[in-house]
Amino acid sequence: MQVETLEDLLFAGLGLKVRQIVAVDGRLTVDASGCGSPGRCPACGHRASRVHSRYWRQISELPAGGRREVVIRLHVRRFFCDQSQCLRRAVVEQVAGLTEPRRRASVVARAAMRAVAMELGGRAGQRLCANLRINGRRTALLGELVAPSVPAQAPRILGIDEFAFRRGRTCGTVLVDVETSRPVDVLPDRETASVATWLREHPGTEIVCRDRLMAFTRAIQQAAPNAREVADRWHLLQNLSTAVEKTCRSHRACLRRPVAPDNGSPSAVPATPLPERVCQRHREITELAAAGLSLSGIGRRLHLDRKTVRRYRNQDLEGLLASARDRGIGVLDPFTAYVQHRFRVGCTSSMQLYREVCALGHTGGYRVVNRYMADVRKGAAIPAQAAAPSPRTITAWIMRPQEALRPSEAAELDDLRNACPEVAAACDLAREFTDLLRHRHRHRHRHRHRHGHRLRDWIQKAELSGPEAIGIFADSIRQDLQAVTAGLTLPYSSGIVEGHINRIKTIKRQMYGRASFTLLRARILLQP
């Protein structure tokens, strides 16, 4: 394409006439004036014709030709609005593709600033703009992030889920169009009233994919009773996995038995100060929580971490004691049986035992062995326990398909099932439920009612003969039976919503975690 004029080179098709170009100390100034047709009045839409006045307007542009700063001094026109009914008297000339009302940067420069703000946020974006020689301050960058308007009509298939503004403290709600995979809106909390209000103001939803949070269920029943609810299958498996793990933890005594000494008689578990300390700490935290103190306040008073206080407050004493009794001594755990055997046959030197366990593969230091030997000499050491997988590992074996297990894992799981009937019952019920979920696509429409019948049978079996945790999970399924049945038979799920939850976590890590709700909402809805 042959360039005939300077206007064609710099402002092709923009309707500008260049008057002069001045370059001084890294600053490039372009004086230009508009020569296009008059625009329309933004109030009444009538095309203006009479010139009211002229004035100079300064527009910042992206760097060019090695110049750090490029400025366009634009001589624009004001026009009269001749409509007598219109409240506006003057209309300012806008150059399409270059200027926008009340903006001091060009359209191209603002697009670049918006892209930087989307990826980096305020301060980091300002540093990048300084390196790229773009005139972008922190507040100006964040000002470019404006949330788009929410459609008046809700999407036909709506996904809804919660996310944490601050983990364990405040949560919000994200709503996603499942068919287009785009976020629709973000709410500042996860309360029933907020979600119900949004659904009333945006009607049209036919199917709602949600997790197991009862606040969402109540909101849908109040504001969109005709919408069909679909419980997400991943959350169902997650809830079942939690119930199975709770069962394994409550029966860990069956799964991890003490090793019998050489004479064949069982070892008695000695009294240790750890269970007493756990009981005392649990009693203190329970009393302070009942008095109304917050987690942080309890932590400051007892000199404990906030997470430790939460664990003691939320977990019963029996579970805490079981965890304390099951607690090992770290890297020496695989060698405690050997150390106790050598002590019983007469080897009482800590250094000698340290050399022997190092030869067997011990990677810890001498102090670990010496401390354990001090407990052995006082008779306060917990007897060596047979190696057993953790409750979380057992849960993973149970939840995975049987054909996906290695032969060694399947054999060990069979041993654990034989050792504890409750774990065996949990395993059978979990596999039966996961079979319902994983084979839902086979003749989905033909056997929809059969899936519901099988689900009711499973609930009854779990409530009558299953472990307590599995029974509680089955009762929650009964209360949400229609949504769970829809989750087993319909192809919809909250997978797309979970993807946006992960995206929100990434956005928060990009220094938006400290942002206001308005700014964070704009960043979430401005999907690239």
Side-chain angles (χ1 to χ4, degrees), residues 41-80:
C41 174
C44 64
H46 182 265
R47 185 175 293 278
S49 58
R50 294 189 302 130
V51 176
H52 175 281
S53 59
R54 291 178 174 84
Y55 74 100
W56 288 97
R57 183 179 179 185
Q58 188 165 292
I59 305 296
S60 63
E61 185 56 279
L62 293 177
R67 303 292 179 177
R68 179 178 294 274
E69 186 178 3
V70 176
V71 177
I72 301 175
R73 294 181 67 249
L74 192 61
H75 203 216
V76 296
R77 298 168 288 180
R78 287 192 182 97
F79 295 93
F80 284 105

Side-chain angles (χ1 to χ4, degrees), residues 102 140 159 332 365:
R102 300 181 180 85
L332 194 60

Side-chain angles (χ1 to χ4, degrees), residues 406-418:
R406 293 194 293 267
S408 59
E409 295 173 340
E412 192 164 0
L413 181 58
D414 289 340
D415 293 339
L416 297 172
R417 286 168 53 92
N418 294 331

Side-chain angles (χ1 to χ4, degrees), residues 19 164 366 381 386 457 478 481-482:
R19 296 187 173 186
Y366 167 74
D457 292 342
R478 184 184 295 278
L481 186 59
Q482 291 186 352

Side-chain angles (χ1 to χ4, degrees), residues 270-337:
T272 61
L274 181 58
E276 298 177 4
R277 188 165 66 247
V278 170
C279 292
Q280 180 182 357
R281 183 173 292 175
H282 181 268
R283 182 172 60 256
E284 293 173 346
I285 292 176
T286 303
E287 292 174 354
L288 293 176
L293 267 70
S294 64
L295 295 179
S296 300
I298 297 173
R300 285 191 295 268
R301 178 169 297 189
L302 300 180
H303 305 287
L304 296 174
D305 186 79
R306 189 173 182 274
K307 296 179 181 178
T308 303
V309 176
R310 183 193 294 119
R311 182 167 63 89
Y312 272 81
R313 187 196 65 178
N314 296 340
Q315 195 171 355
D316 58 356
L317 181 58
E318 183 180 353
L320 292 170
L321 288 173
S323 178
R325 286 190 295 265
D326 192 54
R327 184 178 301 173
I329 42 186
V331 293
L332 194 60
D333 257 351
F335 311 100
T336 53

Side-chain angles (χ1 to χ4, degrees), residues 449-520:
H449 299 291
R450 191 186 69 178
H451 276 292
H453 178 69
R454 291 180 59 191
L455 183 60
R456 292 187 183 91
D457 292 342
W458 184 90
I459 293 173
Q460 185 176 8
K461 184 190 300 184
E463 290 177 337
L464 292 177
S465 61
E468 181 182 2
I470 303 295
I472 295 174
F473 169 72
D475 182 66
S476 69
I477 295 294
R478 184 184 295 278
Q479 297 177 17
D480 200 18
L481 186 59
Q482 291 186 352
V484 175
T485 304
L488 295 178
T489 55
L490 298 179
Y492 311 114
S493 72
S494 299
I496 294 174
V497 188
E498 291 297 328
H500 281 282
I501 297 296
N502 291 332
R503 175 173 165 265
I504 291 173
K505 293 177 182 178
T506 303
I507 291 173
K508 288 169 55 183
R509 283 193 289 267
Q510 293 174 343
M511 299 186 69
Y512 283 93
R514 296 178 294 175
S516 63
F517 170 73
T518 303
L519 180 58
L520 182 62

